[in-house]
C-alpha cells in the first residue's frame, strides 16, 4: 500500500519551514519595513516565495490546479529536492533505466543515495520483468523515468509506465523535459489517479528559456507541500518568473517555433537517411536525434573542427551522436559538414 507518510524522511515530516517576511504579510499595500530590504531601486524587494502568478498562468494553460504545481530553479533543483525529501543518505535507494539523463546519478551521489540502474532493452524500452524483484525493497524510495528519454529520444510504452505506477509503493518521477515536442498525452494529467506520481517539466527546452532556470513539478497537493517546505525561501528570481509568465502569454511564438523545430527535425531525418556514415536514426519524440554512426569519436571531432558542436554519446550508446535540431541554417551547416566527412 502506498503511504506517503512512511516514505518521507522523518526529519522532513517534522520540519518547521522558514517563514519569510513575505509569507507572514501577504498584502501589497503599505510601507514595507519588514524585510530589511533597501527602499531604493527596482529589484530591491524580495519576490513572492510561492510564484502565485506563474502558477495561475500555467494552470490556465494546462488545466492543472495551482495547488498541484511546484516551481523549481530548473528541474535540476526539483530532482535534488525529491532525493532530500524521500531518501535518507547512506540508507535509501533510487532506481532508473539507462542510458538516461545524468542528473539522477549526480543528485544521488551528492545525497549519498545508491542509484540502481537497469539497462533499457534493444528498443530502449523498460524491461518490467527485471524490475519486479525491486518492488519488495522497502529502502527503494524513488524510480526516475525520463520520457521522452534523453539521450535516446523515445517515449516509453504507456503500459510499462502504468505497470510501475500501479505496483511500486514509492514515488515515481516522470521527467517530461521534452514532452512539449511529443504528441503523446502528458502524465501530468494522471496526478489525480496516482498519489505516487511526480511529473517534471521545464521551460528550458520547448519554451526556449534555459537561461531562466524554471522547472515545474506536478503532483498531489501533499507532495507539493513537501517540496515547498524544503525549497529555499526565494528559489525563483522575479526576473525569471516574469520571463516564464511572458513566454506563456506569447504562446503563439512558442507554438510557431515548436512547429519549425518539428519540421526541421523531419527534414534532418530525410537528409541523414541518405548518408552512408549514418547507420541508424533512433525514433525521437524530442527536439533531438540520437544517431548511430560508423565512428562516433572521429565524426564528433571532425564536426567540431568544422565548428558544428554535437554531443558525443559514444560512452552511453556505442558509436552514437546526439544532434539537437537547430535553426534551418544551422541544420544546413550540419548537413553540409556531415556530407564533407562522407566524401573524405
Ligand atoms: C534538459 C533536461 C532537463 C532540464 O533541466 P532544467 O534544470 O529544467 O534546465 C531535465 N531533464 C532532462 C531529461 C533534460 O534533458
Amino acid at each position: 500500500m502506498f503511504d506517503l507518510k512512511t516514505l518521507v524522511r522523518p526529519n522532513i515530516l517534522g520540519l518547521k519551514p522558514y517563514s519569510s517576511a513575505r509569507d507572514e504579510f501577504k498584502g501589497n499595500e503599505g510601507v514595507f519595513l519588514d524585510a530589511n530590504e533597501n527602499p531604493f531601486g527596482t529589484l530591491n524587494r524580495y519576490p513572492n516565495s510561492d510564484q502565485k502568478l506563474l502558477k495561475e498562468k500555467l494552470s490556465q494553460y494546462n488545466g492543472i490546479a495551482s495547488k498541484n504545481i511546484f516551481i523549481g530553479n530548473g528541474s535540476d533543483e526539483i530532482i535534488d529536492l525529491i532525493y532530500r525529501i524521500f531518501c535518507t543518505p547512506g540508507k535509501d535507494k533510487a532506481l532508473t533505466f539507462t542510458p538516461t539523463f545524468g542528473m539522477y546519478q549526480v543528485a544521488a551521489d551528492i545525497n549519498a543515495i545508491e542509484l540502481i540502474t537497469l539497462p533499457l532493452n534493444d528498443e530502449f524500452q523498460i524491461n518490467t520483468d527485471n524490475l519486479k524483484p525491486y518492488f519488495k525493497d522497502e529502502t527503494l524510495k524513488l524510480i526516475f523515468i525520463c520520457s521522452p528519454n534523453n539521450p535516446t529520444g523515445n517515449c516509453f510504452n504507456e503500459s510499462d509506465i502504468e505497470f510501475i505506477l500501479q505496483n511500486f509503493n514509492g514515488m515515481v518521477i516522470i521527467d517530461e523535459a521534452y514532452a512539449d515536442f511529443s504528441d503523446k498525452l502528458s502524465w501530468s494529467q494522471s496526478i489525480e489517479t496516482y498519489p505516487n506520481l511526480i511529473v517534471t517539466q521545464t521551460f528550458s527546452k520547448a519554451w526556449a528559456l534555459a537561461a531562466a532556470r524554471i522547472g515545474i513539478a506536478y503532483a498531489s497537493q501533499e507532495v507539493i507541500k513537501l517540496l515547498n517546505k524544503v525549497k529555499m525561501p526565494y528559489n525563483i528570481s522575479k526576473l525569471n518568473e516574469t520571463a516564464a509568465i511572458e513566454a506563456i502569454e506569447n504562446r503563439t511564438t512558442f507554438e510557431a517555433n515548436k512547429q519549425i523545430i518539428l519540421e526541421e527535425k523531419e527534414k534532418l531525418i530525410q537528409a541523414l537517411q541518405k548518408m552512408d556514415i549514418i547507420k541508424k536514426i533512433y525514433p525521437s519524440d524530442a527536439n533531438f536525434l540520437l544517431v548511430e554512426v560508423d565512428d562516433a569519436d572521429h565524426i564528433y571531432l571532425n564536426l567540431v573542427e568544422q565548428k558544428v558542436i554535437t554531443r558525443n554519446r559514444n560512452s552511453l550508446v556505442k558509436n552514437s551522436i546526439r544532434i539537437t535540431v537547430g535553426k534551418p541554417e544551422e541544420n544546413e551547416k550540419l548537413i553540409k559538414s556531415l556530407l564533407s566527412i562522407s566524401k573524405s
Side-chain angles (χ1 to χ4, degrees):
M1 252 249 323
F2 175 78
D3 179 11
L4 187 62
K5 286 210 170 60
T6 60
L7 277 181
V8 178
R9 286 168 65 187
N11 61 313
I12 301 298
L13 215 48
L15 179 73
K16 189 173 176 296
Y18 179 75
S19 178
S20 71
R22 285 293 168 277
D23 290 332
E24 283 170 20
F25 182 83
K26 293 264 188 203
N28 44 27
E29 260 176 64
V31 175
F32 284 92
L33 307 174
D34 58 346
N36 298 347
E37 297 152 332
N38 192 312
F40 305 106
T42 53
L43 290 172
N44 54 324
R45 301 288 177 190
Y46 280 100
N48 291 325
S49 62
D50 58 0
Q51 299 89 39
K52 190 164 176 281
L53 193 56
L54 175 54
K55 287 177 189 171
E56 281 169 7
K57 290 278 171 197
L58 270 173
S59 187
Q60 287 162 12
Y61 174 65
N62 59 22
I64 296 172
S66 289
K67 66 177 183 354
N68 297 111
I69 304 175
F70 174 82
I71 306 294
N73 197 309
S75 341
D76 291 346
E77 182 193 18
I78 298 171
I79 294 165
D80 182 63
L81 286 175
I82 292 170
Y83 275 112
R84 286 158 63 198
I85 291 168
F86 294 102
C87 297
T88 300
K91 172 172 168 270
D92 290 328
K93 303 186 199 103
L95 182 149
T96 196
F97 307 96
T98 51
T100 193
F101 185 46
M103 273 310 289
Y104 315 137
Q105 184 70 61
V106 174
D109 292 346
I110 291 170
N111 290 291
I113 303 303
E114 182 191 340
L115 180 69
I116 298 160
T117 55
L118 297 184
L120 294 166
N121 69 19
D122 289 345
E123 261 101 56
F124 293 141
Q125 290 292 332
I126 295 168
N127 183 334
T128 48
D129 287 338
N130 289 352
L131 184 60
K132 279 177 195 156
Y134 292 96
F135 288 160
K136 295 188 204 91
D137 184 347
E138 286 190 356
T139 64
L140 180 65
K141 298 294 185 77
L142 311 172
I143 296 182
F144 285 93
I145 301 175
C146 184
S147 184
N149 187 33
N150 179 5
T152 61
N154 61 303
C155 281
F156 295 133
N157 294 329
E158 207 180 304
S159 56
D160 293 335
I161 294 182
E162 225 155 46
F163 173 81
I164 297 170
L165 283 165
Q166 285 167 357
N167 291 284
F168 179 54
N169 288 324
M171 299 304 298
V172 179
I173 301 94
I174 305 183
D175 183 340
E176 290 189 345
Y178 300 96
D180 298 295
F181 296 107
S182 162
D183 47 21
K184 306 221 163 63
L185 190 69
S186 164
W187 286 95
S188 61
Q189 302 300 325
S190 302
I191 52 169
E192 303 284 345
T193 317
Y194 300 110
N196 57 340
L197 171 62
I198 303 175
V199 178
T200 63
Q201 292 181 357
T202 180
F203 276 80
S204 295
K205 307 285 157 57
W207 290 96
L209 282 179
R213 315 302 307 126
I214 303 279
I216 314 160
Y218 299 106
S220 72
Q221 193 175 1
E222 289 70 33
V223 169
I224 297 296
K225 278 187 188 158
L226 289 165
L227 288 163
N228 281 325
K229 209 171 169 183
V230 177
K231 79 179 178 83
M232 290 293 144
Y234 306 106
N235 61 330
I236 305 296
S237 89
K238 182 161 185 168
L239 293 169
N240 297 351
E241 183 185 358
T242 304
I245 290 168
E246 284 172 1
I248 301 177
E249 286 173 346
N250 293 323
R251 271 239 301 292
T252 43
T253 313
F254 161 80
E255 292 294 347
N257 289 342
K258 188 170 88 176
Q259 209 44 48
I260 294 173
I261 291 168
L262 291 175
E263 281 163 21
E264 282 296 307
K265 179 173 139 188
E266 284 314 310
K267 279 197 231 164
L268 198 53
I269 292 172
Q270 300 297 327
L272 294 173
Q273 270 169 347
K274 294 188 194 119
M275 298 181 194
D276 39 326
I277 52 169
I278 308 287
K279 299 293 165 208
K280 182 167 183 174
I281 305 166
Y282 292 97
S284 167
D285 276 303
N287 65 331
F288 61 84
L289 297 170
L290 187 74
V291 298
E292 188 191 325
V293 292
D294 48 12
D295 183 349
D297 295 345
H298 169 74
I299 288 174
Y300 168 76
L301 287 173
N302 196 313
L303 285 174
V304 170
E305 271 169 36
Q306 302 187 65
K307 298 203 164 59
V308 176
I309 321 303
T310 59
R311 196 92 195 262
N312 186 354
R313 299 282 73 181
N314 192 15
S315 60
L316 299 178
V317 181
K318 185 128 184 64
N319 275 327
S320 72
I321 284 179
R322 196 190 67 193
I323 303 170
T324 309
V325 180
K327 290 182 189 164
E329 62 270 27
E330 294 173 328
N331 305 326
E332 297 273 328
K333 168 111 176 98
L334 166 82
I335 291 166
K336 276 204 185 110
S337 307
L338 280 172
L339 284 173
S340 81
I341 303 175
S342 296
K343 286 195 196 86
S344 61

